[in-house]
Every structure is written in structure tokens, then in C-alpha cells.
Amino acid sequence: MSEPVQTPLTKSAAFPTRIFSGIQPSGGLTLGNYLGALKRFVEKQDEGIETVYCLVDMHAITVWQDPVKLRHQTREAAAGFIAAGIDPTRSILFNQSQVTAHAELAWIFNCIARMGWMGRMTQWKDKTAGKDAEAASLGLFAYPALMAADILAYKATHVPVGEDQKQHLELCRDIAIKFNHDYKVNFFPVVEPVIEGAATRVMSLRDGTAKMSKSDPSDQSRINLTDDADTISKKIRKAKTDMDPLPDHVEGLKDRPEAKNLVNIYAALAGHTPAQVIADYAGAQFGTFKPALADLAVAKLEPITTEMNRLMKDPAEIDRILGAGAARADALARPVLEQVYDIVGMIRSRPM
Ligand code: AMP
Ligand code: TRP
């Protein structure tokens, strides 16, 4: 029997439930993106909630991107979403730059957010640590204001993300609250982060204390959604672990980051809790557990990879899907933006 791994969304009386989330097409999708975000995006769509999903190409260029690669990665991410179960007729799926309301609202939010708020963001601090912060792009600093605009252009109420995005969502709440307060309106919802399940923070396969990331220089540290079955299997079998067998309680994983990570990955892939996995594998050696995890990962990921590769053979069709999604997104965001311009006191008299 599976224990429930999801909690129902809290509802707001003033704002209808709408989900928004985004992923940067700044590299290929990883198992971290899949378990921390994508798999849960599909679950929300399948629950019948209104869902808007965005490939945030404008966030991606806050650090240099090769234009040819960026376009390829955006299509590949779109293919990954669809292969993982996003139905572009039920969810709205598009790339950010095709809906200009995001950039326009981000400017207004740049004027709401404070320098101090941005400077406290750990992602900003991490990305500039040990480097010359003066040389970072202004866009990288202002990144969370664009993220708030992504969400609030749709008055989205809930945002499924991995653990690493929690602080950015708090900043999105602060922006909504300050906007509502400064203009004496109840215009923007205060969004709820949805961070749930066993894999809100999937760690590197080489270091249980570092996040699995598309930007890690070591390809062995991550599973890419484009990896074939053999590669997935090898990476898991070679994943760093300690020498002890698996414990008989989840508490026994406390100071064992690599073991904990593999158990969490297993749980998230199987749709179980970590406690259920531990109940099944108490006392097992990694020589037993890793092959079981490799088989499970291949069984879950291989169909997605195969479908992704099939979709990538027709880039024009992917572009068509993104364009159609962008038109639907624009129809939602444009009226919100027009009201924002009105609230802040801008003249809107251009003949339509
Ligand atoms: P990014 O790839 O940074 O654009 O992240 C897109 C989404 O995937 C966000 O919701 C992240 O929180 C989530 N995500 C990225 N890496 C991980 C990870 N290692 N574990 C869990 N979630 C992740
Ligand atoms: N900052 C997010 C990340 O790197 C991506 C993102 C951009 C996002 N806009 C968003 C996530 C809006 C959720 C909602 O993971």
C-alpha cells in the first residue's frame, strides 16, 4: 500500500487556483528536474487543475548561452515535458520570450523589489561566490523579479518547485504584498510554494551534499533525460556510497547523504515514501540495492527518453506547440498587465 505523498492545495477565496512553474532551458533536463518538478507538473495537470508551464529562455540568458544551443535546448525541454506527460491541450506550454508580458511586468517589479532583497538571495550569492560580482549580469541580479512576473502575470496561486526555489518564491510573495500595499489594492495573490514528495532535492551521484545540476561539470554526477538505459544503469552502479548496508529505519540515513539520496530517488520514482523503501530493503547491501534502483530508473525513464527522441525529429511541430501555448498564455497575461499599467498610473491610449 502506498502512503499518500501529496497534500491537497490550500485554496484562496479571492483567487481561483492556478498553477504556474518554469524550467530554464540552459542545459538538458536532469533526474532532479524530473523528480523535483516535471513529474509533479504532470500530476497537477492530471488532477484537473489549471496549469501553465513555461520554458524560461529569458532567465537562461542571465548567464551566457550559445544561441544555437539555447534554441535546441528549448525544443528538447519542450519535448521532455510532452514525453513526461504534459498534454499541451490541457496544460499551457510555451517559452517565456514569446509572451512579452513577462518582461514588461518584470520591469514594474524591478521598481517594487529592493536591492537588499535581491542581494540576500542565496542563488545570487552562490553564483557570484569566489567570482567578481561586479562582472555578473544585471539580469542575474534581477532574476527573481522576472520570476515573480512569470508567476503573477497569470495571478497563479500555487507554484510546484524543488527546494532550491523556496527563497525565490518568498521574494515573489514579498513583491505581491508590497505591490498590493503600495497601490492599496488586493490585486496579486500571495503564492504558495508546493514543495512535496521524496525528491524535492535530488543530490549529485558523486557528492551527496551537492545538488544534482545540469551545470555540474561532471556528467557522472547526474542522470540526464537524454541518457540511454546503459548509461543510466552505469551511473547508478558507480554512484558514490558508503560501505554500510541500508538501515532498518529512515532515521538511520541521517548522516549518510549518499545513501539517503539513493533511497529518496527510489522512493520518488516508485511513488512510495522513503520509509516504505527502507521497509523493503532494510539490511540490504548496495550491491543489491543499486541494481534494483538502476532497473527502476531505466523502467521509468527509458520510455520518456524514447518519446523525447521521437518528438525531436520534428522541431517544426515543437515550435508550433510552443507558439500555440504562447498565444493562450498571452490571452491570460495581457489583461492582467493592462490592469497593472492602469493601477500604477500609466496612460494607455494607443488605438488597438
Ligand atoms: P532549473 O533547472 O534550475 O531551471 O530548475 C527547474 C526546476 O527543477 C525547479 O523547480 C527546481 O527546483 C527543480 N530542480 C532542479 N534541480 C533539482 C534537484 N537536484 N532536485 C530537485 N529539484 C530540482
Ligand atoms: N528560477 C527557476 C529555477 O531555476 C525557474 C523559474 C523561472 C521558475 N520562473 C519561474 C520556477 C516561475 C517557478 C515559477 O529553477
Side-chain angles (χ1 to χ4, degrees), residues 79 306-318:
T306 307
E307 178 61 4
M308 226 169 123
N309 291 336
R310 191 189 68 77
L311 291 164
M312 280 302 280
K313 293 201 176 105
D314 191 355
E317 173 61 9
I318 295 179

Side-chain angles (χ1 to χ4, degrees), residues 153-174:
Y154 302 90
K155 295 193 175 183
T157 52
H158 297 80
V159 183
V161 281
E163 183 69 41
D164 61 334
Q165 295 303 311
K166 197 171 172 192
Q167 197 189 25
H168 286 156
L169 291 181
E170 275 158 19
L171 194 129
C172 175
R173 292 163 66 97
D174 290 342

Side-chain angles (χ1 to χ4, degrees), residues 100 104 330 334 337-338 341 346-352:
T100 56
E104 292 176 59
D330 190 72
R334 188 45 56 185
L337 190 69
E338 287 303 324
Y341 282 132
M346 288 172 175
I347 295 170
R348 309 296 286 168
S349 58
R350 210 181 68 189
M352 285 298 161

Side-chain angles (χ1 to χ4, degrees), residues 320-339:
R320 191 200 61 74
I321 291 170
L322 292 175
R328 287 167 66 203
D330 190 72
L332 296 176
R334 188 45 56 185
V336 174
L337 190 69
E338 287 303 324
Q339 288 177 65

Side-chain angles (χ1 to χ4, degrees), residues 27 60 64 111 193 195 203 215 222 226 326 328 330 333:
W64 166 255
C111 303
I195 302 172
M203 308 310 279
S215 56
R222 64 178 159 263
T226 47
R328 287 167 66 203
D330 190 72

Side-chain angles (χ1 to χ4, degrees), residues 20-24 56 59 123 143 147 150-151 159-161 164-165 168-169:
F20 183 96
S21 198
I23 291 192
Q24 299 192 61
V56 292
H59 277 103
Q123 187 167 307
Y143 178 116
M147 179 162 162
D150 296 340
I151 298 163
V159 183
V161 281
D164 61 334
Q165 295 303 311
H168 286 156
L169 291 181

Side-chain angles (χ1 to χ4, degrees), residues 31 75 127 137 166 220 227 247 272 286 289 324:
L31 180 68
R75 291 190 183 119
K127 286 200 174 174
S137 75
K166 197 171 172 192
Q220 294 301 314
D227 286 345
H272 293 161
F286 283 107
F289 184 67

Side-chain angles (χ1 to χ4, degrees), residues 97-256:
S97 58
Q98 293 210 67
V99 181
T100 56
H102 294 239
E104 292 176 59
L105 186 57
W107 180 259
I108 308 228
F109 287 170
N110 281 342
C111 303
I112 298 287
R114 306 289 98 182
M115 298 280 285
W117 301 1
M118 299 295 179
R120 282 192 283 278
M121 293 294 109
T122 50
Q123 187 167 307
W124 160 256
K125 288 197 253 180
D126 290 350
K127 286 200 174 174
T128 52
K131 295 182 205 139
D132 181 8
E134 298 267 314
S137 75
L138 186 55
L140 187 65
F141 189 65
Y143 178 116
L146 177 59
M147 179 162 162
D150 296 340
I151 298 163
L152 295 176
Y154 302 90
K155 295 193 175 183
T157 52
H158 297 80
V159 183
V161 281
E163 183 69 41
D164 61 334
Q165 295 303 311
K166 197 171 172 192
Q167 197 189 25
H168 286 156
L169 291 181
E170 275 158 19
L171 194 129
C172 175
R173 292 163 66 97
D174 290 342
I175 288 179
I177 292 167
K178 184 161 161 54
F179 181 95
N180 288 346
H181 175 268
D182 289 0
Y183 292 103
K184 301 187 178 53
V185 287
N186 183 25
F187 188 72
F188 284 123
V190 179
V191 296
E192 296 285 339
V194 184
I195 302 172
E196 64 189 5
T200 56
R201 195 167 165 79
V202 177
M203 308 310 279
S204 156
L205 298 178
R206 309 301 313 158
D207 174 1
T209 63
K211 188 182 81 163
M212 181 182 287
S213 161
K214 48 183 98 153
S215 56
D216 192 313
S218 161
D219 193 59
Q220 294 301 314
S221 71
R222 64 178 159 263
I223 291 173
N224 306 299
L225 285 196
T226 47
D227 286 345
D228 60 24
D230 196 41
T231 310
I232 295 174
S233 199
K234 279 203 184 104
K235 284 180 179 174
I236 291 178
R237 283 159 199 260
K238 283 195 193 145
K240 185 180 164 203
T241 45
D242 52 42
M243 304 296 285
D244 295 336
L246 285 176
D248 50 15
H249 283 100
V250 265
E251 296 78 62
L253 293 169
K254 200 168 148 273
D255 295 315
R256 300 177 61 189

